[in-house]
Amino acid sequence: MQNRTPRNPEQPAPNPVGPDAGFTVELASVVTGARRRALRDGDRQIDTAHLLHSLLESDPEVREAFDGGPQLARVLGYLVQRSIGYGLRWQGSVEDSGALPVVRDPAADGWSPSAVAAMEDALYRAGLRGEPRACGLDLLAALAADGECRAVEVLGRAGVDARWLSGRAVERTAGAPERA
């Protein structure tokens, strides 16, 4: 059935609701990629490793934050192993680093508490710079700052110092032009 109420073209489209509201168009596509990856992998929730994997595939600025190709290749190797069912085994479990209370917003259904916390932190980081929307580097900094999340576990197994990476992402966003 079609909605017969015409939308006035002068009115803005409704704001998105959910943990990814307030992201740039590019980062929103990263979130969509993470959602597809979780579905394809048969995971109950989108977690921080899904977000990291999608970020690395989609955002050249995020890839540049790493210390060269070999480091990036190791991280992607662990993420690919996970997606094909080898290596890290998290299927069927809920990621929760304790970053959010157990009672959650219904709009966050389908997201691990750690992923929701990372997306909220990304928005907070953008706000500190006076930007209304978070970018990929904001999300990378937030993911790497949560020492108990799956993305940090992947980074650690690949030999990446997550605190260093978070700091590097923050440095790269300092003074960056606002993104649409």
Side-chain angles (χ1 to χ4, degrees), residues 38-171:
L39 213 69
R40 186 179 61 231
D41 292 349
D43 292 332
R44 284 184 10 195
Q45 293 184 322
I46 303 158
D47 65 27
T48 58
H50 293 120
L51 287 170
L52 178 62
H53 200 159
S54 190
L55 262 177
L56 291 172
E57 288 180 333
S58 303
D59 194 326
E61 289 181 326
V62 167
R63 289 190 299 272
E64 290 173 8
F66 284 80
D67 192 21
Q71 186 182 63
L72 185 58
R74 285 192 304 272
V75 173
L76 283 169
Y78 278 103
L79 290 166
V80 168
Q81 283 180 4
R82 178 208 182 175
S83 70
I84 61 173
Y86 298 107
L88 305 174
R89 297 197 186 273
W90 294 311
Q91 279 188 329
S93 65
V94 174
E95 173 188 38
D96 186 5
S97 66
L100 284 181
V102 174
V103 177
R104 296 194 359 225
D105 178 358
D109 282 346
W111 294 90
S112 75
S114 296
V116 171
M119 291 189 292
E120 289 174 352
D121 188 23
L123 291 169
Y124 176 77
R125 289 167 185 273
L128 289 176
R129 290 192 315 279
E131 293 187 21
R133 300 200 179 279
C135 67
L137 288 170
D138 292 317
L139 184 54
L140 178 64
L143 290 169
D146 182 353
E148 300 296 318
C149 74
R150 290 178 179 168
V152 168
E153 185 178 341
V154 167
L155 293 170
R157 288 180 183 235
V160 177
D161 181 336
R163 285 183 294 191
W164 170 84
L165 183 62
S166 181
R168 188 158 161 135
V170 168
E171 287 172 9

